[in-house]
Amino acid sequence: MAEVGEVSEGCRLPVLRRNQDNEDEWPLAEILSVKDISGRKLFYVHYIDFNKRLDEWVTQERLDLQRVQGPRREPRTPGKNGGSRPGSPDRDTRKSQDVATTLSPPGPPPVSPPGPAPVSPGPPPGTGTLVPLHVTLRWHLPTKRKVEVVSPATPVPTPSETSPAALFPQNGSARRAAAAQPGRKRKSACLGTDEDSQDSSDGAPSAPRMTGSLVSDRSHDDIVTRMKNIECIELGRHRLKPWYFSPYPQELTALPVLYLCEFCLKYGHSLRCLQRHLTKCDLRHPPGNEIYRKGTISFFEIDGRKNKSYSQNLCLLAKCFLDHKTLYYDTDPFLFYVMTEYDSKGFHIVGYFSKEKESTEDYNVACILTLPPYQRRGYGKLLIEFSYELSKVEGKTGTPEKPLSDLGLLSYRSYWSQTILEILMGLKAEGGERPQITINEISEITSIKKEDVISTLQYLNLINYYKGQYILTLSEDIVEGHERAMLKRVLRIDAKCLHFTPKDWSKRGKW
């Protein structure tokens, strides 16, 4: 049995915690830090294979000292610049998801003849009537694949393992690695590192980035950034418990509560500081232009160059709840769209998303967040829907910057599924002809990128192979589940209430 003094940073051992069923369990955890308060030791632990937001300080009574594993070095994998970096289960999982954009069938696929799409001969006698919907899937090869949608009452033969349907994984998730942007690197104890940042002795960039990805390069992870440093945040009438590290000034991290003005997001040391600030702050809504209002919901567009202080404070707050994003103080290349709820006291922030003014990767979202008090109420999908409404006005298709957080991935998968199923189920036959649609048309209608459309069909396991064609099989469970979900989805964006004029940032000399 190990002594408490022998437990150091990097050790692994079981730690007592309560699960969702209010039962005790002993998951394996890693000791990230040890501190001594009045002769009592506290240990900051990360539960292996659990989300980082569950990390916490524990006392020695919750440690199983009989099963202590000494610190071990993680296997190292080649880095982007020829170096090496620690392996990560999260990174391995993300690698396994890179499937949607690299599919190509074995051997040369059959080429569709020119002219009208051929009609499927239908299912075997006695199995019902097919309602075909022709969908074109674009592969890397210059050919087209036809896909039909089968009505729920129509049984479809199970494809063999060697059929082309086996090319579609059931849990596919479209991910495309962000291209490395040219630029220099910056390192800072607070901000970490990123490929688009720049070396600087004072931790600030000497010039704004002309483009930038907010995806966090996980090779910069260290003990400091792996530990939550803010205990509690008071924002208006809410008190929030941060999930992750955020680079607020170090002198504020020891405070029991960090006080923020809910309108300008400036932070203060104490409640008295906040009260003095509120007597001077004349903001009752986010700075910028209100481009949408319906009922009590409003959206404000904020330019990261014109409202730099607010944008920086927004990034600091958001980083408390986003793990896969890094943080920049040069917010010039970004626009921020803040969703608010209105009452007699003003416009209260609910969530936001940011996007690059110019994105070479067709990203329409860089970061997206619904604050914890407003989660599980439909606001996340409303933010996503609004981002695609902006893309429709711009005449573009868009996709969120990858990788997404766990909650972000769930929200996007749900939104994509509901939006695409809404299109497919709304198609009607005209003039006795069977309805037809292509992947391109779905993408144009919804502004969802083609790769995301295909990955969603794979995730829903809708694609099968029948009589030489790909078919989308909409089962009764899928249809009923979609109808139930749409009944619960009360909050929707009304395009008539959107007053937005896109700008061509490529023609502007300065942002």
Side-chain angles (χ1 to χ4, degrees):
M1 178 175 176
E3 298 292 337
V4 175
E6 299 175 7
V7 179
S8 59
E9 296 177 1
C11 288
R12 297 188 176 195
L13 74 169
V15 177
L16 176 64
R17 70 179 296 271
R18 288 288 180 93
N19 60 20
Q20 294 179 346
D21 300 325
N22 205 29
E23 298 174 348
D24 291 345
E25 61 180 5
W26 292 84
L28 185 66
E30 179 185 358
I31 305 295
L32 297 184
S33 182
V34 182
K35 67 180 180 181
D36 195 317
I37 299 180
S38 302
R40 185 179 179 84
K41 283 198 171 184
L42 294 178
F43 304 85
Y44 192 86
V45 298
H46 165 63
Y47 298 102
I48 308 300
D49 297 328
F50 283 74
N51 194 290
K52 279 176 59 178
R53 71 174 67 108
L54 299 178
D55 295 359
E56 59 180 338
W57 289 98
V58 301
T59 59
Q60 67 184 54
E61 288 81 6
R62 293 174 57 182
L63 306 180
D64 185 353
L65 300 177
Q66 296 181 352
R67 293 186 286 172
V68 178
Q69 302 175 13
R72 60 181 182 179
R73 302 187 66 178
E74 295 287 348
R76 305 184 75 83
T77 55
K80 295 181 180 179
N81 298 322
S84 59
R85 63 187 181 190
S88 166
D90 294 340
R91 189 182 301 114
D92 296 338
T93 302
R94 295 197 297 269
K95 285 182 180 178
S96 66
Q97 295 175 346
D98 294 340
V99 292
T101 59
T102 57
L103 290 177
S104 58
V111 179
S112 302
V119 178
S120 172
T127 59
T129 306
L130 278 174
V131 183
L133 170 69
H134 297 284
V135 181
T136 302
L137 290 180
R138 291 194 177 275
W139 302 73
H140 287 296
L141 299 177
T143 59
K144 295 182 179 180
R145 295 291 183 116
K146 293 185 176 61
V147 179
E148 296 179 333
V149 168
V150 183
S151 63
T154 306
V156 179
T158 303
S160 65
E161 294 181 358
T162 57
S163 69
L167 295 171
F168 295 92
Q170 295 184 3
N171 297 322
S173 173
R175 291 187 58 234
R176 186 176 60 177
Q181 303 292 338
R184 291 166 291 178
K185 295 186 178 180
R186 165 171 54 91
K187 295 184 179 180
S188 169
C190 290
L191 303 184
T193 64
D194 192 271
E195 290 177 348
D196 299 322
S197 53
Q198 176 180 330
D199 286 323
S200 176
S201 58
D202 59 2
S206 59
R209 291 168 299 112
M210 300 307 292
T211 183
S213 165
L214 290 182
V215 173
S216 174
D217 179 2
R218 305 313 297 270
S219 64
H220 77 276
D221 281 353
D222 54 30
I223 295 300
V224 174
T225 58
R226 291 177 66 186
M227 294 172 52
K228 287 178 279 192
N229 58 334
I230 304 295
E231 184 67 26
C232 181
I233 292 176
E234 183 170 305
L235 182 69
R237 62 181 179 271
H238 300 291
R239 281 204 169 186
L240 316 177
K241 290 204 70 173
W243 296 345
Y244 309 110
F245 170 88
S246 182
Y248 278 100
Q250 191 170 0
E251 61 269 18
L252 302 180
T253 60
L255 300 175
V257 179
L258 179 62
Y259 295 89
L260 267 64
C261 172
E262 63 176 326
F263 299 113
C264 69
L265 302 182
K266 287 185 178 178
Y267 42 84
H269 292 76
S270 64
L271 180 59
R272 185 178 178 181
C273 289
L274 175 64
Q275 291 171 342
R276 291 179 59 187
H277 167 79
L278 291 177
T279 61
K280 305 174 185 177
C281 182
D282 56 356
L283 278 181
R284 289 298 175 264
H285 60 78
N289 300 322
E290 185 181 14
I291 60 175
Y292 179 91
R293 180 187 292 188
K294 184 175 183 181
T296 60
I297 301 296
S298 292
F299 280 85
F300 290 83
E301 182 185 54
I302 293 121
D303 190 324
R305 181 181 67 86
K306 294 181 180 178
N307 299 282
K308 186 168 295 188
S309 177
Y310 180 89
S311 302
Q312 292 171 353
N313 291 331
L314 179 60
C315 288
L316 284 170
L317 173 63
K319 185 62 186 71
C320 290
F321 307 99
L322 296 173
D323 184 35
H324 293 290
K325 301 296 180 180
T326 188
L327 182 90
Y328 284 110
Y329 281 122
D330 48 326
T331 57
D332 292 24
F334 295 95
L335 294 169
F336 298 83
Y337 295 89
V338 178
M339 178 169 63
T340 63
E341 214 173 37
Y342 174 78
D343 63 15
S344 58
K345 294 184 179 180
F347 295 80
H348 308 279
I349 180 171
V350 172
Y352 89 106
F353 68 88
S354 60
K355 62 184 291 187
E356 293 181 71
K357 295 175 180 176
E358 279 190 284
S359 174
T360 57
E361 302 293 331
D362 296 328
Y363 293 138
N364 63 353
V365 166
C367 290
I368 185 168
L369 171 70
T370 304
L371 291 175
Y374 299 95
Q375 291 179 359
R376 304 183 66 84
R377 291 167 57 180
Y379 290 115
K381 282 196 183 70
L382 199 67
L383 282 167
I384 295 173
E385 186 177 3
F386 189 79
S387 70
Y388 282 106
E389 286 296 329
L390 296 184
S391 295
K392 291 177 184 179
V393 176
E394 294 171 339
K396 301 176 182 177
T397 60
T399 187
E401 189 172 293
K402 313 300 191 305
L404 294 165
S405 65
D406 52 352
L407 297 180
L409 180 59
L410 290 174
S411 298
Y412 266 97
R413 276 181 172 170
S414 179
Y415 173 80
W416 289 333
S417 300
Q418 291 178 9
T419 303
I420 293 172
L421 287 173
E422 196 172 25
I423 296 294
L424 297 181
M425 293 172 60
L427 291 172
K428 297 180 181 179
E430 297 180 1
E433 295 291 333
R434 292 167 175 170
Q436 298 184 9
I437 195 169
T438 65
I439 291 291
N440 283 339
E441 289 171 344
I442 295 176
S443 181
E444 290 172 2
I445 294 171
T446 62
S447 285
I448 299 174
K449 205 168 180 63
K450 288 185 291 184
E451 290 85 350
D452 295 331
V453 174
I454 296 173
S455 73
T456 302
L457 297 176
Q458 296 168 3
Y459 172 74
L460 294 173
N461 197 24
L462 299 183
I463 303 178
N464 289 281
Y465 195 66
Y466 180 70
K467 291 198 172 181
Q469 289 190 335
Y470 289 107
I471 55 176
L472 302 180
T473 309
L474 300 182
S475 65
E476 292 182 358
D477 292 340
I478 291 287
V479 174
E480 292 174 0
H482 172 71
E483 291 174 347
R484 287 195 302 269
M486 296 307 292
L487 288 175
K488 296 179 181 178
R489 191 173 163 187
V490 180
L491 296 175
R492 299 295 298 268
I493 294 296
D494 186 352
K496 297 178 182 178
C497 300
L498 176 63
H499 305 283
F500 170 69
T501 302
K503 300 179 179 65
D504 186 358
W505 298 99
S506 63
K507 295 181 179 180
R508 294 168 176 256
K510 292 184 178 180
W511 286 329

